[in-house]
Amino acid sequence: YPDHYQLIAHPIALSTLRKWGSTGYYKSITHYKEDWKLMFNNARMYDQEGSWLYIDAEEMELSRRRLARGNSYF
């Protein structure tokens, strides 16, 4: 996907979120939540609506929101 880095100004991957989440990179819950939102938005921006990546981003964000209802870390 050679054009990915041209179209996405701030790329971030799930593996990066996991790494940063386990190493103390995040100093606030807000920053952690913003990076999750960034990842989902990037997927929807780059991938076409209806593609499996777009749908996965939608479903993962919905799951994250459900978790957030009972846990301030999500």
Side-chain angles (χ1 to χ4, degrees):
Y1 309 100
D3 63 342
H4 186 266
Y5 292 102
Q6 295 171 340
L7 298 173
I8 303 298
H10 303 286
I12 192 164
L14 183 57
S15 60
T16 302
L17 291 172
R18 283 196 315 253
K19 179 182 173 185
W20 288 351
S22 66
T23 60
Y25 171 82
Y26 292 107
K27 303 303 181 201
S28 73
I29 298 303
T30 301
H31 185 198
Y32 186 62
K33 290 177 183 180
E34 287 172 353
D35 276 354
W36 276 91
K37 186 175 181 180
L38 174 64
M39 183 183 69
F40 298 134
N41 287 341
N42 285 350
R44 286 188 293 259
M45 181 184 299
Y46 185 78
D47 298 295
Q48 290 189 359
E49 189 171 351
S51 70
W52 64 271
L53 289 170
Y54 189 103
I55 292 168
D56 283 352
E58 293 280 298
E59 290 177 3
M60 286 177 66
E61 185 169 34
L62 181 59
S63 293
R64 192 210 57 81
R65 286 183 184 163
R66 287 181 183 143
L67 284 170
R69 291 183 191 138
N71 186 332
S72 63
Y73 290 103
F74 291 101

